Amino acid sequence: MNPAAKHIGLIGLGLMGRPMGMNLIKAGYSLTVWNRTASRADELVAAGAKLARSPEEVAAASDFLLTIVSDPPALEEVLWGNCGAMPALKRGSIYVDSSTISPALARKIAAAGAERGVRFLDAPVTGGDWGAKKGELVFMIGGDAETLKEAEPILSVMGKKLFHLGPNGAGQTIKLAMNMILALQVDALAEALALTTRSGIAGEKLVEVMQSSMARSGVLDVKAPNLLKGEYVPSFPLRLMHKDLGLALDLGNQLGVALPATAAAREIYNAVKGAAKEDLDYSAVMKFWKR
Ligand code: NA7
């Protein structure tokens, strides 16, 4: 199928949404966008996207809608707030949400979509803004397999791997579990670096040994340089990691699963978030020991 014949809507042009939209345009799709702060659409509009006046207008123009906004309240606002998208979604269309939200909200959206004949996938992503720019995101997907098959050509423009994990909510559940691990790994690395450097040994020594041990990891490759240099330009903002740890703890409560390590890590992210004067990457958790 000619990509230009498929009308895609994109709501949420933050750190992730902008490069994802750019890759859709480059692949030849016709794109209509909306963002709360309209100026964030400038680059996409210059590249050929149409700017809508509301989420409702985007949904009404789309065969395929993608949303990627900060958190559950932001998503509820764009779907059911003033001129929201949900009531305007076309029967037969596919709606994919890539925000990280609660599995319960994903299931609520799926049910509301089904009532209107709209097929929904929860499809949060991992890979940071770097993965979004390169079109190398990893999608964690919950929903119907047939719907995913239809959505696959579009999602593949933005991602290198699509994991189908179960019914609606499964994508979000795995995403929260993934982010718990990433948050704990970076927190553990920061603690160990604090101990090492306070002993008078360069942090680089610890990292060097870890690279030759079982503690070697992608997190070490990507985040250790930030921690060692004390540079925390947001790739995945700390405020969003903090939000995800909260969502994971809520899910643990609902399921009756104790998450003591996650609870402790969230306190540390919370302290750094409270003291931060600017937007920082989550690797800035190191600042807890630099105060
Ligand atoms: P960013 O860069 O913080 O972008 C967040 C986006 O969400 C941005 O477009 C915001 O609009 C939008 N937003 C936030 N609150 C609202 C409300 N209330 N109404 C409408 N739109 C809103 O986040 P990322 O792109 O890094 O991440 C997006 C998601 O992927 C998030 O769930 C991560 O955890 C994973 P703004 O430009 O501020 O007007």
Side-chain angles (χ1 to χ4, degrees), residues 10-21 34-37 40-41 43-44 67-70 129 132-133 235 237 239-240:
L10 171 60
I11 295 175
L13 305 175
L15 220 49
M16 300 295 287
R18 281 195 307 270
M20 289 166 86
W34 181 83
N35 193 58
R36 182 180 59 176
T37 309
R40 295 221 165 112
E43 194 191 343
L44 286 167
T67 52
I68 178 150
V69 294
S70 336
D129 69 331
K133 282 178 194 151
S235 171
R239 67 187 152 79
L240 295 178

Side-chain angles (χ1 to χ4, degrees), residues 36-88:
R36 182 180 59 176
T37 309
S39 60
R40 295 221 165 112
D42 289 351
E43 194 191 343
L44 286 167
V45 169
K50 290 187 212 79
L51 179 61
R53 277 167 302 186
S54 64
E56 181 183 27
E57 209 177 285
V58 179
S62 304
D63 306 309
F64 182 104
L65 176 69
L66 177 66
T67 52
I68 178 150
V69 294
S70 336
D71 52 18
L75 188 59
E76 298 214 49
E77 178 69 32
V78 302
L79 291 178
W80 290 292
N82 193 21
C83 298
M86 182 56 83

